[in-house]
Amino acid sequence: MNQQNNSDEVQLKEMLLKTEILDKGYDSENFINFMELQKENGGQDIDMWTYQELTQAINQFQQLNQPQQDEQLQNIVSDKQLDLDDKKLQNIEQEEQNQNLTIQIQKKDQQQSICGEDKNKDTDIKSNLSKIHLCKIQDKKEQLQSNDISVYISKYQRIAGGIFTSSYYSYTVQTDPIGWIVQRRYSDFLWLRELLCKIYPGRNIAPLPKKSVLKNEKELYLQKRKKFLENFLKTVLKCELLRHDKWFFAFLSSKEEKDFKQIQKLSAQIQRVTKLEQIISIDGKIQLEINGNLNSHNIEATQLVNSVDICYKKLRRESKQLLLDFDQLSNTIFNMGQTCADLYQLSNKFNQSIPQGKISQLDILYISMNNMLVQWGNNLTSQIKIVQEELCYFFKFHHHQILVLKEFMKQKDQAQQEYEKFKSRLEQKKNKLFTTQDFNRWEIPAVQLKALQDENLTQNKEISFQIMLPQETTVQEDLKNIYAYFNSSSYIEITKHFENTVSEFSNHFTKFCSLQKEQIAEQKLVWDQSIVNLTNLQFPKELIKKTT
């Protein structure tokens, strides 16, 4: 029975090849070469293809032999060239002609042969999927090729508003060693991030701070926002794909405000990427993959990210508490130093009021104690700044990164739900059409239906499921590919995130430890000098000169 089904399916595929390739006048040799590229194990063997796969491959071949010229996007700058080193930004909207056609290349075909009981499973859509899909290639910017490039915010300033405009803060963004210096508003950062999210689905884009009108005039808030925005730029620059993005390039390099506004105006035409062939990658390839190991990884990773989120929240709260603790401790020590200053005033008044019996060592004792406590308090005040910048700001940014990562991971879940929901509905619909043998609703050409009936293939459920409702079956395959892309992207982005976490946290806390080491060294000098001063008080002949 299985052999008969296989024979029937081969005849069906041969008839499809004759109708769609030979009868329509396509070059058969070109088609054979095309098919050879689609499967590693030999695309020329018709047995390597299911009917649905063969139909899709034929459609792709026909698209390649009847290419439609891509529309060219308009130039970033209309009439005036931007004042940039490479003068290339004028054409950053132009796309490559005929370079990014949709081709799906089969990388590997797990468990291709299906027989016996496996025939009752979904043969048109396997549970496992692994293949490479061609997409657009990122156009790399020569100026951003070096790994020594750094971007930072050197300062911010308040720009007064006019009659029709409100005041705002401008951030000076510098890119070294290129020497780009531009002025950007918070809304410009927001524009850039929203645009990157549109163009690069499946990429975890770094977060931005939330806008708060009530806190805009507070220095501490502005410092925190500056650090947050700077971290956003550094994270984008670190990603090879994003650092060469033409809009990011314009953000860093376009100096004239009116030119940059024109660029932002042109970006309004950019639509959110929803098709796999529109996605941009470094090498023009993206991985589509679904398998048990990957699913297990994503499930465990979701639990890890949720747990990390809780811990980051605690670290943020605890670092804020540490900030308050250091502030309270330094204030207490300063108060103690002031009390020692009061003691000095009392002893000095006493010594000044008597003609004899002065105790000058008492003045020196209280002054020494005051100096010791004040310098100790200064050291703790320095700790407040370190805690603010190296702990509070740091954990705030990475907590927001985790929140963004969680939102990113939801894309994969949504894609999976859409695919499984559509697949379930389509299977129910196909089952009903097969059971009722309502051929008029199978949506296949009459000639093809007649051939199937002549071969008695309409009674074969597996083959019927492959050929009926071809448009909806294609939609199902597209949804599966999108899910496979986000499934693979989630694995890549989660792995990359935690690898970057190791690197970023290690570098950051190496700096933090160095700062603490310097603070301890400075405090040691305070203790050493205090020991000398207080020891000398025990030997009248070696009294140090009194200071006031």
Side-chain angles (χ1 to χ4, degrees):
M1 182 63 181
N2 290 335
Q3 291 180 354
Q4 179 62 39
N5 289 341
N6 289 338
S7 177
D8 293 342
E9 185 174 6
V10 169
Q11 292 180 16
L12 189 63
K13 288 185 285 189
E14 289 176 346
M15 181 173 59
L16 178 65
L17 290 173
K18 179 179 182 301
T19 302
E20 295 297 325
I21 300 298
L22 298 178
D23 292 350
K24 290 187 177 182
Y26 285 98
D27 190 321
S28 59
E29 185 175 349
N30 287 343
F31 178 73
I32 292 173
N33 293 334
F34 170 80
M35 297 295 282
E36 185 67 25
L37 294 174
Q38 307 308 301
K39 287 183 180 286
E40 290 184 350
N41 297 327
Q44 295 186 27
D45 188 353
I46 196 173
D47 292 333
M48 296 292 292
W49 299 83
T50 65
Y51 185 88
Q52 182 62 32
E53 289 176 337
L54 190 61
T55 301
Q56 292 179 355
I58 290 172
N59 290 336
Q60 292 171 8
F61 174 77
Q62 291 173 342
Q63 290 176 11
L64 285 173
N65 282 266
Q66 297 176 356
Q68 294 181 352
Q69 194 172 18
D70 295 334
E71 294 183 0
Q72 295 184 349
L73 298 176
Q74 54 185 308
N75 293 334
I76 286 289
V77 181
S78 56
D79 298 323
K80 178 181 177 181
Q81 291 186 342
L82 297 180
D83 183 18
L84 301 176
D85 293 340
D86 62 345
K87 300 296 183 182
K88 292 180 180 179
L89 189 57
Q90 185 181 12
N91 297 317
I92 63 176
E93 279 298 297
Q94 186 176 8
E95 295 185 351
E96 299 85 352
Q97 297 287 325
N98 303 324
Q99 183 179 3
N100 299 311
L101 295 174
T102 306
I103 306 171
Q104 294 186 354
I105 301 175
Q106 192 75 19
K107 183 180 179 183
K108 57 182 179 178
D109 195 6
Q110 298 180 356
Q111 306 296 328
Q112 177 67 28
S113 58
I114 302 176
C115 57
E117 295 181 358
D118 291 341
K119 285 288 184 178
N120 296 325
K121 298 181 180 179
D122 298 328
T123 57
D124 58 329
I125 300 178
K126 302 180 181 65
S127 59
N128 290 345
L129 171 67
S130 180
K131 59 184 177 182
I132 299 295
H133 192 94
L134 295 190
C135 60
K136 295 182 179 179
I137 299 176
Q138 182 67 286
D139 181 19
K140 295 184 180 180
K141 304 294 182 292
E142 184 178 351
Q143 290 90 333
L144 299 177
Q145 293 281 20
S146 173
N147 292 326
D148 297 330
I149 295 173
S150 64
V151 59
Y152 60 94
I153 298 176
S154 58
K155 63 179 181 179
Y156 56 83
Q157 57 183 338
R158 187 176 185 272
I159 307 298
I163 298 177
F164 301 104
T165 59
S166 59
S167 60
Y168 64 93
Y169 279 87
S170 176
Y171 299 87
T172 302
V173 179
Q174 295 188 214
T175 307
D176 290 340
I178 301 176
W180 291 334
I181 302 177
V182 296
Q183 302 297 323
R184 296 289 180 257
R185 302 173 59 167
Y186 170 80
S187 58
D188 297 330
F189 287 85
L190 189 62
W191 162 83
L192 175 62
R193 186 180 187 278
E194 290 177 348
L195 198 56
L196 293 178
C197 289
K198 278 185 179 181
I199 300 172
Y200 300 96
R203 295 289 178 175
N204 182 32
I205 309 297
L208 283 175
K210 295 181 180 179
K211 189 171 185 178
S212 175
V213 177
L214 298 177
K215 297 180 180 179
N216 272 353
E217 302 300 325
K218 293 185 177 181
E219 183 67 21
L220 184 61
Y221 173 79
L222 293 169
Q223 284 285 348
K224 181 164 58 177
R225 168 173 281 190
K226 169 181 172 293
K227 195 73 174 178
F228 217 108
L229 295 176
E230 187 175 80
N231 285 340
F232 164 73
L233 293 177
K234 289 181 181 294
T235 303
V236 174
L237 185 69
K238 188 174 182 179
C239 175
E240 185 182 8
L241 177 66
L242 300 181
R243 74 186 296 180
H244 293 292
D245 176 79
K246 53 196 173 186
W247 305 103
F248 181 55
F249 182 84
F251 179 93
L252 296 179
S253 59
S254 183
K255 187 174 182 180
E256 297 297 329
E257 182 177 1
K258 65 177 182 178
D259 292 332
F260 186 63
K261 291 299 181 184
Q262 177 68 9
I263 290 171
Q264 290 181 311
K265 183 179 180 180
L266 291 173
S267 71
Q269 303 174 16
I270 300 298
Q271 301 295 320
R272 186 174 297 276
V273 171
T274 57
K275 297 182 179 179
L276 297 183
E277 60 267 20
Q278 296 174 338
I279 293 174
I280 303 172
S281 70
I282 289 295
D283 58 359
K285 299 177 183 179
I286 52 176
Q287 178 73 35
L288 312 183
E289 191 161 5
I290 301 174
N291 60 61
N293 291 335
L294 204 59
N295 292 338
S296 298
H297 175 275
N298 287 335
I299 291 172
E300 293 299 324
T302 299
Q303 296 179 1
L304 172 62
V305 168
N306 290 333
S307 300
V308 168
D309 179 31
I310 295 173
C311 291
Y312 279 0
K313 286 181 181 177
K314 291 179 63 177
L315 284 171
R316 284 185 62 190
R317 291 196 303 267
E318 290 160 351
S319 60
K320 289 181 179 179
Q321 184 60 49
L322 183 59
L323 198 65
L324 297 174
D325 293 343
F326 270 120
D327 186 55
Q328 182 177 355
L329 181 58
S330 62
N331 286 334
T332 301
I333 293 175
F334 280 133
N335 291 336
M336 294 175 67
Q338 182 59 50
T339 303
C340 289
D342 295 341
L343 287 172
Y344 164 74
Q345 293 296 334
L346 294 174
S347 67
N348 181 259
K349 181 179 180 182
F350 169 76
N351 286 327
Q352 294 296 327
S353 64
I354 60 175
Q356 63 180 24
K358 299 179 186 295
I359 309 176
S360 57
Q361 295 95 327
L362 194 61
D363 290 359
I364 298 174
L365 172 65
Y366 291 147
I367 288 176
S368 298
M369 291 174 61
N370 171 265
N371 290 339
M372 176 189 69
L373 291 168
V374 168
Q375 291 181 69
W376 187 14
N378 287 336
N379 187 277
L380 290 171
T381 301
S382 299
Q383 287 284 356
I384 293 175
K385 183 178 180 181
I386 293 174
V387 170
Q388 183 72 61
E389 294 185 355
E390 309 302 331
L391 294 181
C392 291
Y393 296 167
F394 181 80
F395 286 123
K396 180 179 178 63
F397 178 77
H398 284 280
H399 177 228
H400 279 260
Q401 267 201 326
I402 285 292
L403 294 178
V404 170
L405 183 61
K406 289 172 67 174
E407 289 299 317
F408 164 78
M409 293 167 66
K410 287 182 180 179
Q411 297 180 42
K412 186 271 296 181
D413 295 334
Q414 291 172 355
Q416 181 178 2
Q417 291 171 8
E418 289 179 10
Y419 159 63
E420 292 178 346
K421 185 177 181 179
F422 190 92
K423 174 185 175 183
S424 176
R425 288 180 177 177
L426 186 56
E427 286 178 348
Q428 292 177 9
K429 187 175 181 180
K430 286 184 175 182
N431 267 317
K432 183 177 180 179
L433 292 178
F434 179 79
T435 301
T436 60
Q437 293 287 287
D438 188 356
F439 302 124
N440 292 330
R441 298 176 59 189
W442 282 28
E443 299 180 4
I444 60 176
V447 175
Q448 186 179 10
L449 177 63
K450 177 80 167 52
L452 291 171
Q453 291 174 328
D454 292 343
E455 297 292 337
N456 200 31
L457 296 180
T458 55
Q459 303 302 313
N460 186 305
K461 185 175 183 180
E462 178 186 344
I463 294 178
S464 297
F465 270 40
Q466 291 181 17
I467 61 176
M468 68 170 59
L469 306 177
Q471 293 184 350
E472 292 180 71
T473 301
T474 299
V475 172
Q476 176 178 314
E477 187 65 21
D478 289 342
L479 289 173
K480 182 181 182 182
N481 287 337
I482 292 173
Y483 161 45
Y485 168 68
F486 281 108
N487 199 44
S488 177
S489 297
S490 294
Y491 171 80
I492 295 171
E493 292 296 316
I494 292 169
T495 302
K496 183 172 67 176
H497 173 83
F498 285 109
E499 287 177 348
N500 289 339
T501 296
V502 173
S503 174
E504 291 172 9
F505 276 54
S506 298
N507 291 333
H508 180 82
F509 284 103
T510 296
K511 176 185 175 183
F512 178 79
C513 292
S514 297
L515 292 173
Q516 293 297 337
K517 182 180 177 181
E518 292 173 4
Q519 290 293 312
I520 292 173
E522 291 179 6
Q523 188 59 41
K524 181 179 182 299
L525 293 176
V526 172
W527 300 137
D528 289 341
Q529 187 60 49
S530 297
I531 290 172
V532 172
N533 292 342
L534 296 171
T535 300
N536 286 340
L537 287 174
Q538 302 177 39
F539 305 96
K541 293 182 180 181
E542 300 178 12
L543 283 176
I544 63 174
K545 185 179 292 186
K546 184 176 71 172
T547 59
T548 59

